[in-house]
Amino acid sequence: MKNECDANVLSGDKKYFENFSKKLNPINHLHNFERRWRKIVEYFPDIAAKSDLKILELAAGEGYNAQLIHSKTASDLYAVDYSFSACVQAKKNLNDSAKIYKADVTALPFRDKSFDVVFGNAFLHHIDDQENVIKESVRVTKDQGCIFFFEPNRFNPILFLFALRHYSVEKGVFSLKPKLLAKYFRGTGRTYDVQIKPHTTFLFPYQKFPPQSLVPFFSTLETLLDCPLICTNYAIMARCK
């Protein structure tokens, strides 16, 4: 395995908006993560029960999700991102709780079958070569390991309008197809129990909305709307064999 930050293998067509400043809403972010974590534990209970797992987060950004993953498990945590500035900030945020790599998610710098869990949140719709990302994710996942991706639903009106407003950054929302991602997983020949589950959240990590007093109301509403077509996101999950 290559040393940390040696994996400068970025493709020329990759773009990261280094100056795209975002301010995290910690209340929304924690709520958002907790809902995703419950779905992960439901599918793969070992992630909460074992402390000897190796976990990889793809497109980890500044490491905010990785911080919460670390708070949930004592497993060995790795994180990759293709933005140098994001990796620097993630290193500051995570200290020694994770190993940070600057790397292209279509060419991961890890050996075959290195990780028990591969996780990625809302990044695939920014990637043109989604099939190769999935192939790489499967390649580095151990036998009986799991992969979890959470991606926006283009048919949800809120997500549709958000993507339209931020088209230069979020245009990939309009072309993302969960069933196609599931097909890519099955096409590797190493996955089984591939699932697509609706996942709704109105408490977006980088939005001020809603006021804290309305968080319980929207939390209940999320549960009611956690169904196909109108959900805000989909969880795409697969096991490796």
Side-chain angles (χ1 to χ4, degrees):
M1 187 182 296
K2 298 181 181 180
N3 293 329
E4 291 177 64
C5 299
D6 284 350
N8 189 11
V9 291
L10 308 187
S11 302
D13 61 342
K14 296 293 180 187
K15 293 181 180 179
Y16 183 87
F17 296 87
E18 301 276 2
N19 298 320
F20 186 63
S21 61
K22 298 179 291 186
K23 187 174 182 179
L24 189 74
N25 181 328
I27 295 174
N28 284 11
H29 179 234
L30 179 59
H31 173 86
N32 191 294
F33 176 82
E34 290 287 352
R35 279 182 54 76
R36 281 162 167 72
W37 185 257
R38 286 195 293 271
K39 197 157 297 247
I40 289 171
V41 172
E42 180 182 345
Y43 183 83
F44 187 58
D46 281 356
I47 198 170
K50 293 185 176 181
S51 60
D52 59 345
L53 302 178
K54 288 182 68 175
I55 301 175
L56 171 66
E57 182 182 5
L58 303 181
E62 296 86 355
Y64 297 123
N65 281 322
Q67 283 180 309
L68 294 178
I69 293 172
H70 178 69
S71 73
K72 294 288 188 181
T73 174
S75 296
D76 197 10
L77 182 59
Y78 292 69
V80 303
D81 200 279
Y82 51 82
S83 163
F84 177 75
S85 61
C87 288
V88 170
Q89 186 60 46
K91 191 69 175 177
K92 293 178 182 177
N93 290 337
L94 292 163
N95 295 316
D96 295 325
S97 59
K99 301 172 181 67
I100 313 299
Y101 287 74
K102 179 181 182 297
D104 187 340
V105 290
T106 66
L108 294 171
F110 306 110
R111 298 189 183 99
D112 294 356
K113 302 182 180 181
S114 293
F115 298 96
D116 298 282
V117 176
V118 174
F119 168 78
N121 182 49
F123 80 98
L124 272 174
H125 65 282
H126 296 299
I127 306 294
D128 291 331
D129 192 1
Q130 295 170 0
E131 183 175 11
N132 208 40
V133 175
I134 288 174
K135 286 180 179 178
E136 278 291 276
S137 300
V138 171
R139 179 184 67 78
V140 301
T141 302
K142 296 179 182 179
D143 296 342
Q144 305 308 313
C146 291
I147 301 168
F148 301 91
F149 292 145
F150 292 86
E151 291 294 326
N153 173 23
R154 59 182 172 153
F155 296 113
N156 178 274
I158 296 175
L159 267 294
F160 183 91
L161 291 174
F162 177 83
L164 197 62
R165 180 181 178 187
H166 302 282
Y167 184 79
S168 62
V169 179
E170 299 291 345
K171 60 185 178 181
V173 169
F174 299 111
S175 58
L176 187 123
K177 299 177 182 178
K179 289 185 179 179
L180 182 59
L181 300 181
K183 181 180 178 181
Y184 291 155
F185 272 119
R186 296 186 182 100
T188 65
R190 267 202 73 217
T191 61
Y192 68 101
D193 194 21
V194 179
Q195 297 185 19
I196 302 171
K197 295 288 187 180
H199 179 82
T200 297
T201 178
F202 295 116
L203 281 71
F204 300 116
Y206 295 100
Q207 300 294 322
K208 295 179 180 179
F209 179 86
Q212 189 170 353
S213 60
L214 293 179
V215 167
F217 168 76
F218 279 95
S219 298
T220 303
L221 189 61
E222 287 174 341
T223 304
L224 295 174
L225 298 179
D226 213 3
C227 51
L229 294 182
I230 62 173
C231 61
T232 59
N233 298 270
Y234 281 103
I236 302 100
M237 305 175 286
R239 294 178 183 269
C240 288
K241 57 186 177 180

